[in-house]
Amino acid sequence: MIRDYHEFLEEVMIDSAAIQRRIEALGAQISKDYAGEEIVLVCILRGGVLFLADLIRQISVPINIEFMSVSSYGVGARQSSGQPRITLDVNSDIRNRNVMLVEDIVDSGHTIKAVVDFLSTRQPKSLRVCTLLDKYERREVDIEVDYVGFQIPNKFVFGYGLDIDEYYRNLPFIGSVDLTRYMASE
Ligand code: PRP
């Protein structure tokens, strides 16, 4: 049975209002940077869906949406294996188009690097990365992240698209996990 997250919530790291305010600002910046252009926003499933849905409502230039899936974490594992595999590709031709990858979090950077390497061979006009969360202390690969919602410390986080064993993605805030209490209540 799914546990009540209050059993292991350390703190609400970023509340819903702060997330929405930051997305408004990101959307305004992106709209300004791409004035007169169009963007294909590519959401990396599954964590990025809430961010994509809120972000596109704050962008005023014409957009398309696409979805990709990358498997990099083993079932039940909480560490990246560092060997991502593309399991779902975009549906349209991105050649000569502005592409922006939309992620909930960049951690080691392996996932986003794999997607950038994969798509850049198709000669998009531009290829940028937008992530809600940047856990920069954990980076293992050299990757440029163009738009960042929040830089966060090296803590295990959940909510607003991010899961714990596939649950809690629907919470409107980003919470951090008290690992001692999480293990104790498991
Ligand atoms: C998470 C997140 C990123 C990736 C970041 O995805 O959504 O895609 O991990 O980690 P990295 O920078 O260390 O590669 P996950 O594989 O957990 O899938 P999910 O989005 O379906 O939860």
Side-chain angles (χ1 to χ4, degrees):
M1 207 183 84
I2 181 171
R3 281 178 291 159
D4 181 341
Y5 67 83
H6 292 97
E7 284 174 26
F8 53 78
L9 176 71
E10 181 182 59
E11 63 163 352
V12 173
M13 189 183 272
I14 310 166
D15 69 23
S16 172
I19 293 173
Q20 295 306 325
R21 274 198 308 274
R22 185 70 190 110
I23 292 176
E24 238 176 80
L26 279 175
Q29 184 65 52
I30 290 167
S31 304
K32 197 173 150 207
D33 294 350
Y34 288 86
E37 302 271 330
E38 297 189 9
I39 320 171
V40 183
L41 291 147
V42 179
C43 175
I44 312 300
L45 296 172
R46 289 173 282 226
V49 288
L50 275 72
F51 182 38
L52 176 85
D54 284 338
L55 182 65
I56 58 175
R57 282 176 274 192
Q58 302 298 333
I59 295 178
S60 54
V61 299
I63 59 116
N64 284 185
I65 58 172
E66 288 283 343
F67 296 90
M68 284 183 76
S69 199
V70 186
S71 91
S72 57
Y73 287 69
V75 177
R78 294 184 191 111
Q79 293 286 315
S80 169
S81 66
Q83 289 173 333
R85 208 162 38 87
I86 310 289
T87 54
L88 177 71
D89 196 353
V90 294
N91 250 327
S92 55
D93 189 2
I94 57 161
R95 191 181 154 87
N96 287 329
R97 301 176 78 189
N98 296 309
V99 175
M100 187 179 298
L101 305 179
V102 178
E103 263 287 25
D104 52 342
I105 187 165
V106 177
D107 192 328
S108 69
H110 286 289
T111 303
I112 207 70
K113 185 172 187 318
V115 178
V116 167
D117 290 349
F118 184 76
L119 292 183
S120 54
T121 61
R122 296 182 190 165
Q123 297 164 299
K125 181 175 179 183
S126 65
L127 180 53
R128 288 186 176 165
V129 175
C130 178
T131 185
L132 181 67
L133 305 176
D134 179 10
K135 215 191 255 188
Y136 60 98
E137 290 169 20
R138 297 241 316 160
R139 201 75 88 248
E140 290 173 12
V141 292
D142 191 20
I143 183 83
E144 199 170 328
V145 182
D146 304 279
Y147 298 94
V148 173
F150 302 91
Q151 292 200 316
I152 62 163
N154 184 13
K155 288 197 167 181
F156 189 38
V157 288
F158 68 107
Y160 196 77
L162 293 107
D163 71 307
I164 301 176
D165 297 335
E166 294 304 327
Y167 289 103
Y168 313 110
R169 293 190 198 269
N170 53 321
L171 295 174
F173 59 83
I174 304 283
S176 60
V177 175
D178 180 328
L179 282 173
T180 311
R181 278 163 57 209
Y182 182 79
M183 299 300 179
S185 64
E186 212 166 19

